[in-house]
Amino acid sequence: MRLPLPALLLFLTATPLLAADGLSGKVFIGYQGWFAPTVEGTGARWVHYGHQGKFEPAHASVEMWPDVSDLPAADRVATAFKHPDGRPAEVFSSARPATVDTHFAWMKEHGVDGAFLQRFGASVNSKGVAPHLARVLDNVRKSAGTHGRSYCIMYDLSGLKRGQIRSVVMEDWRRLVTEAKVRDDRTYLKHAGKPLVAVWGIGFNDNRDYTLAECMELVKFLQNDPAAGGNAVMVGVPFYWRTSNRDADPDPLLHEIIAQADVVSPWSVGRYAKPQQLTKMRTDVYEPDIKWLADRGAKGAREIAYLPVVFPGFSWRNLQKLRGKDAPLDAIPRLGGQFMWSQAVAARRAGANTIYVAMFDEIDEGTAVFKVSADPPEGFLKLDTPRSDHYLWLTGEVGRMLRGQAEARDEMPARK
């Protein structure tokens, strides 16, 4: 039935705009969703905030302090820390619906198109973590719909043992398809008309127990399984995957997996540290990567999309302290956003038409772009700008650049 014009206009203005099909011209963000002061029903405490169930001085694993001022009072959790002015320092729980809804409202406000929800293979069957993952997924599904943002599942294979890709990851995806029916959500991200499933952690040379053969089996399962297949698959691979050196496994099977994939996303975090390095990254990495994918895709009569990763900065002193190691605070400075902007410009000039920002809420390693405190408790990284939403705004500017609404200039845009 066709609506009369006034009713149609009312419908359009009352319904969040949604474009869940396609990657081109969009900026996406990684969403960890793993922070929990408590995990209901399990007794687990301070998950990803602290160490050994404690979150207090000498037991903090996070590097940045979240800004929770937009959350309802009932959804803020007090800690043993205090701000410089003596105010009690509060944090959030990713399991609270209001928290995730606020996060997705921020995404909408700043023009972030969608989120890749991290789902760690080593945790999906954990009695202490699985209930939390289920709540976060439910929150993300609802909030993505409310705010017109797309989302997709990203499996992180880190920590899996040999054989668990089949017994854990494949079985988990079957449950999400048959029981949770995530692919039925109108907000579930699609690529080339197919639901997109991301798999991160393929081909790194850091002594992972699972094999490349298992990774190939997973990619083909996600693409071709009679019940759970029919998906487009994104593979998260080493930054130097093409040259098979540095962070990459030299096994030729890695290239075969990449040629089988629908989207390739090389992990760049920590691979460079200054804006001045990005010109070389563009000519030595981005452009040859894109050409390799285009050539291999042409041979296979299929397109392989390129999803480069940019990050705002990096710092993990507190996390390393818990491991008995030393690390500097603010190891890779943000430079007010110039570092992140330079990466995005280099990727765009190389021919990339979509970008993945790492990460929305990663305060453990100091790569978060969501709102963080400009006056954190002592021992935490202070944001280099008084605007707590500065990096959300900059992420939106990256999206505008991809759509041709902002120039790919060397200097980052000025905020009005």
Side-chain angles (χ1 to χ4, degrees):
M1 180 179 68
R2 292 187 177 181
L3 294 172
L5 184 58
L8 177 60
L9 292 175
L10 178 63
F11 172 77
L12 291 174
T13 56
T15 304
L17 295 177
L18 177 69
D21 192 12
L23 305 181
S24 182
K26 298 177 184 177
V27 61
F28 297 96
I29 205 158
Y31 192 81
Q32 300 281 28
W34 58 16
F35 296 98
T38 60
V39 179
E40 297 176 21
T42 69
R45 288 185 53 75
W46 297 117
V47 176
H48 272 278
Y49 279 115
H51 178 57
Q52 296 178 338
K54 300 177 182 180
F55 185 43
E56 57 194 48
H59 286 273
S61 61
V62 297
E63 196 81 349
M64 309 179 80
W65 200 272
D67 180 349
V68 297
S69 58
D70 288 354
L71 295 181
D75 291 284
R76 306 176 199 169
V77 181
T79 73
F81 297 92
K82 293 185 182 297
H83 289 283
D85 62 3
R87 288 178 297 119
E90 300 171 316
V91 294
F92 65 88
S93 171
S94 302
R96 301 277 184 93
T99 296
V100 177
D101 197 68
T102 299
H103 290 170
F104 273 77
W106 291 347
M107 294 182 202
K108 179 181 179 182
E109 176 185 356
H110 293 283
V112 180
D113 293 287
F116 283 58
L117 175 60
Q118 313 299 293
R119 194 166 177 85
F120 289 82
S123 301
V124 295
N125 289 339
S126 166
K127 292 181 180 180
V129 182
H132 177 81
L133 295 181
R135 293 187 183 98
V136 173
L137 174 57
D138 187 50
N139 294 341
V140 166
R141 296 177 72 178
K142 291 176 181 176
S143 296
T146 298
H147 299 288
R149 305 300 93 185
S150 60
Y151 84 95
C152 74
I153 299 296
M154 174 182 273
Y155 283 105
D156 189 323
L157 305 181
S158 302
L160 288 176
K161 302 299 182 183
R162 193 164 303 199
Q164 288 187 319
I165 285 181
R166 180 181 294 176
S167 64
V168 175
V169 178
M170 291 184 188
E171 289 309 308
D172 184 68
W173 179 248
R174 288 187 201 275
R175 288 192 296 269
L176 293 186
V177 169
T178 60
E179 298 175 20
K181 300 187 184 301
V182 294
R183 298 189 301 186
D184 292 349
D185 292 350
R186 68 187 183 91
T187 55
Y188 196 89
L189 181 62
K190 296 180 176 62
H191 172 67
K194 299 178 181 179
L196 182 67
V197 184
V199 180
W200 191 92
I202 296 177
F204 289 83
N205 65 354
D206 52 2
N207 300 313
R208 296 174 180 237
D209 195 49
Y210 56 87
T211 67
L212 283 173
E214 291 176 280
C215 294
M216 176 65 93
E217 182 183 1
L218 176 59
V219 171
K220 291 184 176 180
F221 162 81
L222 292 169
Q223 291 174 332
N224 303 319
D225 183 79
N231 309 289
V233 179
M234 189 214 89
V235 293
V237 297
F239 192 63
Y240 294 100
W241 61 269
R242 179 179 45 82
T243 52
S244 300
N245 62 350
R246 300 192 187 188
D247 59 350
D249 188 330
D251 189 330
L253 183 56
L254 175 57
H255 284 182
E256 294 181 32
I257 294 171
I258 289 169
Q260 178 71 32
D262 300 280
V263 184
V264 174
S265 185
W267 186 246
S268 63
V269 177
R271 303 315 190 254
Y272 41 78
K274 299 177 181 179
Q276 295 84 348
Q277 295 174 274
L278 271 301
T279 299
K280 184 174 177 59
M281 292 300 105
R282 172 189 166 187
T283 57
D284 291 0
V285 179
Y286 295 147
E287 290 176 350
D289 278 6
I290 292 173
K291 184 179 186 303
W292 190 100
L293 294 173
D295 291 345
R296 189 61 63 96
K299 291 178 182 177
R302 55 198 300 275
E303 180 182 354
I304 306 173
Y306 189 63
L307 181 61
V309 174
V310 307
F311 64 106
F314 183 87
S315 185
W316 64 349
R317 185 180 65 174
N318 288 334
L319 190 60
Q320 289 295 81
K321 279 184 179 179
L322 296 178
R323 297 167 176 168
K325 301 178 181 180
D326 292 326
L329 188 67
D330 201 19
I332 301 179
R334 296 182 171 220
L335 305 178
Q338 186 61 54
F339 178 60
M340 176 174 154
W341 179 255
S342 296
Q343 296 169 69
V345 168
R348 181 70 181 119
R349 288 175 175 171
N353 57 25
T354 183
I355 283 175
Y356 177 97
V357 176
M359 309 278 290
F360 182 83
D361 53 347
E362 175 55 282
I363 50 178
D364 303 80
E365 298 181 354
T367 63
V369 299
F370 73 161
K371 294 185 181 184
V372 296
S373 177
D375 60 342
E378 185 178 355
F380 297 90
L381 182 65
K382 186 175 181 179
L383 194 66
D384 60 0
T385 169
R387 300 285 292 269
S388 67
D389 65 348
H390 180 75
Y391 288 91
L392 280 171
W393 164 79
L394 187 59
T395 300
E397 290 297 299
V398 170
R400 294 183 66 243
M401 178 184 65
L402 292 170
R403 293 186 291 274
Q405 298 165 345
E407 291 186 60
R409 301 177 60 181
D410 290 336
E411 301 79 18
M412 63 175 285
R415 188 169 185 180
K416 298 178 181 178

